[in-house]
Each structure stands twice: as C-alpha cells, then as structure tokens.
C-alpha cells in the first residue's frame, strides 16, 4: 500500500475549494493509496512520473515514487488554471 502525501501548497488549494468538491476530491486522493494509477488517471506528457486525476471540474496533479511507495500530491485546482 502506498502512502499519500499532500504538499502544503496543495492543502491550501484544497481548502479554497467548495466544501462538497473538497470532500469528494479528498476521498479520491485517499483511494490513491490502494491504486495510484486508477483508470481515470492520465500520465502527463513530458514528465517521468507525473499524473493527474480528474474529479468534476477539478484536477489533482501528483507524482508516484514506486520504489518507496509514495504518492505526492503537488497541485490541486480548477481545470482551467491547473496546467
């Protein structure tokens, strides 16, 4: 099982979302501990181990370190502004 780490910047971004979406996104991020590459995730082009997961109109960008079993969430935001 992977450990899900959320950077301080991402926590701050998550706290600015509407409560309903923040809870939904938090639930989906916890699921990454079991399966860091769910069907809904996409690998970002140009990066070795960066992925994104979509939850409604919001996106979470994260990296996966398979050797040490860590998923690190780096950014969270609206789909228009995340990239």
């Amino acid at each position: 099982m992977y450990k899900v780490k959320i950077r301080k910047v991402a926590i701050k971004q998550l706290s600015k979302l509407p409560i309903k979406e923040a809870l939904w996104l938090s639930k989906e991020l916890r699921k990454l501990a079991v399966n860091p590459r769910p069907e809904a995730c996409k690998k970002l082009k140009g990066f070795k181990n960066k992925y994104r997961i979509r939850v409604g109109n919001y996106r979470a960008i994260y990296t996966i370190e398979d050797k040490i079993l860590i998923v690190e969430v780096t950014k969270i935001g609206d789909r228009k502004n995340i990239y």
Side-chain angles (χ1 to χ4, degrees), residues 19-82:
I19 292 173
K20 184 179 176 183
E21 282 79 8
L23 292 173
W24 187 19
L25 191 55
S26 297
K27 181 180 169 186
E28 294 301 315
L29 292 176
R30 278 186 251 125
K31 289 181 184 179
L32 294 176
V34 177
N35 183 9
R37 293 177 186 90
E39 274 188 42
C41 85
K42 290 208 176 180
K43 187 173 182 324
L44 297 180
K45 293 180 182 179
F47 297 98
K48 183 180 174 186
N49 62 348
K50 243 182 192 181
Y51 297 83
R52 71 119 169 116
I53 190 166
R54 183 181 78 130
V55 179
N57 287 331
Y58 298 95
R59 307 291 185 266
I61 308 294
Y62 62 96
T63 58
I64 301 172
E65 295 295 333
D66 289 312
K67 290 183 181 180
I68 53 177
L69 299 177
I70 290 181
V71 173
E72 185 175 32
V73 180
T74 55
K75 281 181 160 182
I76 295 173
D78 190 277
R79 66 184 180 95
K80 294 180 252 174
N81 306 320
I82 195 72

